[in-house]
Amino acid sequence: MSETWSIGDTVVTIRPIARSDLALEQAFVEGLSTHTGYLRLLSARRPTLEEMEHFTHIDPAREFALIATVDSDGRERQIGVARYVKTSTEGTAEFAIVLSDSWQGRGLGRRLLVGLLSAAKRDGLQRMTGATLWENRGMQALARKLGFKIERDPDLATLRNLVLDLTEWSA
Ligand SMILES: CC(C)(COP(=O)(O)OP(=O)(O)OC[C@H]1O[C@@H](n2cnc3c(N)ncnc32)[C@H](O)[C@@H]1OP(=O)(O)O)[C@@H](O)C(=O)NCCC(=O)NCCS
């Protein structure tokens, strides 16, 4: 289930993550700016190796992840990832997405998230949720355009909760 997409002269491949992608994921995470890492993890810390192993060695019964890659001097290079994990609420999953800094604002986030939501629908999920910082205008703009409702978090003033009814959603 791999697709390609051309942006300018660059061909972007979007495909499910594989266990063999750990080195790609590590290089990708290490290349993120502090600001982008902060927006993704909602904290200034960097993911540990153990967490990165969890990111690539996913449990297909409860998780799904798509990565975006480009060719860089004959080697595959990761430029983005979007994932969901099913929550304890039946039919619901929580998503996260992050792109390399130089790939932000070029339509890739929309493309990856639409791919992820389509996969979630095929997987029989009914509801997709996410959480983002109140100042993350880019994430909120993308979520709004895809039909998410944006709600204030009842406990944390700095957070916005994103909620999409997948039964009403189509790509
Ligand atoms: C948030 C993120 C995934 C969005 O992806 P992106 O590729 O930058 O966004 P896109 O270029 O696909 O934009 C999607 C739409 O949102 C709009 N948009 C994006 N950023 C925007 C901003 N800062 N302000 C207003 N609108 C914005 C675009 O105009 C576009 O609208 P269109 O489809 O009608 O043209 C990406 O910027 C990113 O990885 N940011 C850092 C990590 C992060 O914040 N992750 C989310 C944590 S919850």
Side-chain angles (χ1 to χ4, degrees):
M1 205 185 65
S2 160
E3 63 160 338
T4 56
W5 172 57
S6 291
I7 174 163
D9 292 339
T10 310
V11 178
V12 177
T13 299
I14 295 181
R15 61 167 178 81
I17 205 163
R19 291 177 80 88
S20 51
D21 289 331
L22 180 61
L24 276 189
E25 174 82 10
Q26 271 180 295
F28 167 72
V29 168
E30 277 159 19
L32 296 176
S33 68
T34 306
H35 181 63
T36 290
Y38 174 71
L39 291 176
R40 160 65 180 90
L41 284 181
L42 313 181
S43 117
R45 69 180 185 84
R46 288 271 149 169
T48 61
L49 178 61
E50 198 185 358
E51 282 174 297
M52 281 192 265
E53 281 170 351
H54 280 299
F55 289 162
T56 46
H57 296 191
I58 62 173
D59 171 3
R62 46 182 295 274
E63 294 172 82
F64 181 73
L66 283 176
I67 62 170
T69 66
V70 290
D71 178 87
S72 172
D73 297 326
R75 301 179 70 164
E76 197 179 18
R77 182 165 61 87
Q78 184 175 330
I79 56 168
V81 59
R83 64 182 62 248
Y84 68 73
V85 181
K86 293 178 189 172
T87 69
S88 54
T89 309
E90 182 70 30
T92 299
E94 181 166 8
F95 81 94
I97 182 169
V98 60
L99 310 182
S100 298
D101 290 72
S102 61
W103 278 91
Q104 294 172 19
R106 298 165 73 180
L108 179 60
R110 184 180 192 122
R111 194 95 187 182
L112 259 183
L113 197 49
V114 165
L116 193 81
L117 297 174
S118 303
K121 250 193 113 119
R122 283 196 298 275
D123 198 11
L125 287 165
Q126 286 131 38
R127 197 160 175 264
M128 187 63 73
T129 66
T132 196
L133 290 169
W134 70 271
E135 75 259 36
N136 193 339
R137 298 285 163 216
M139 187 63 242
Q140 289 175 53
L142 172 57
R144 195 174 291 111
K145 281 174 191 249
L146 292 181
F148 281 82
K149 286 195 186 120
I150 300 176
E151 299 166 353
R152 281 168 185 268
D153 186 271
D155 300 318
L156 272 176
T158 52
L159 273 194
R160 294 293 175 269
N161 294 322
L162 315 171
V163 184
L164 181 69
D165 179 354
L166 283 169
T167 63
E168 300 284 322
W169 183 84
S170 63

